[in-house]
Amino acid sequence: MTHEDAGHYAAKHPGGEIDPAIAEAITAKEKDGKITCSAAHAIAEKHGCTPQTVGMTIDLLEKRIHKCQLGLFGYGDKKEKALKPPPTVGEPLRQAIEKAVENERISCAAAWAVAKEMKMSKLEISSACEAMGIKIKKCQLGAF
């Protein structure tokens, strides 16, 4: 969705239905109409559902997701990234990222898996991807 679509997130899910328990959990965690990526993932884990289900419910409630764990959006008033690409990416990390790339992109879930495999933070992985010119697509919550 574009910035012009802000506040019309439910339009992404025609016919989508709100799960009351997930909606209640989101409402309890949101502040000023926003919920963090981390809180959304915690809700998915607690309720035994996919992050995509929580993300859809967030959209249907017309809430915003912020503070992406990969540092891609939701930081500051100007929706800045929290990324600080390193000057170089070590060969083992470069290989792990390249192995996870599909169609010249890496998914959010694959970036998380690389972080776990390499025992690094998610932000370090996304920063390395930025340095390598690899875009991260297919947010687990459906935000991008």
Side-chain angles (χ1 to χ4, degrees):
M1 300 203 84
T2 65
H3 293 291
E4 293 80 28
D5 294 322
H8 303 285
Y9 308 114
K12 296 185 333 189
H13 312 283
E17 294 185 25
I18 293 175
D19 178 311
I22 295 172
E24 184 178 328
I26 291 166
T27 302
K29 293 287 185 182
E30 65 100 0
K31 183 177 179 185
D32 298 326
K34 298 177 186 176
I35 185 167
T36 65
C37 171
S38 178
H41 279 273
I43 291 168
E45 188 171 320
K46 180 179 180 183
H47 289 270
C49 65
T50 65
Q52 185 177 7
T53 299
V54 174
M56 180 185 74
T57 305
I58 292 168
D59 286 343
L60 292 171
L61 293 170
E62 297 293 351
K63 306 294 182 190
R64 295 185 67 172
I65 300 167
H66 73 134
K67 294 188 180 175
C68 167
Q69 293 182 72
L70 291 170
L72 300 177
F73 63 87
Y75 292 86
D77 293 334
K78 297 178 184 177
K79 300 173 186 70
E80 299 151 354
K81 291 182 179 183
L83 300 178
K84 305 218 178 356
T88 60
V89 177
E91 197 55 34
L93 177 55
R94 178 178 296 280
Q95 289 176 2
I97 290 171
E98 287 174 348
K99 186 172 133 185
V101 168
E102 285 187 24
N103 298 323
E104 300 178 15
R105 301 184 189 288
I106 186 171
S107 70
C108 171
W112 282 36
V114 170
K116 186 174 182 177
E117 172 191 337
M118 300 299 292
K119 295 180 174 70
M120 298 175 78
S121 73
K122 296 169 184 115
L123 190 56
E124 288 174 306
I125 301 307
S126 58
S127 292
C129 288
E130 183 89 357
M132 294 170 64
I134 296 171
K135 298 283 185 196
I136 301 172
K137 294 288 180 177
K138 199 171 178 205
C139 168
Q140 295 174 76
L141 296 168
F144 56 88

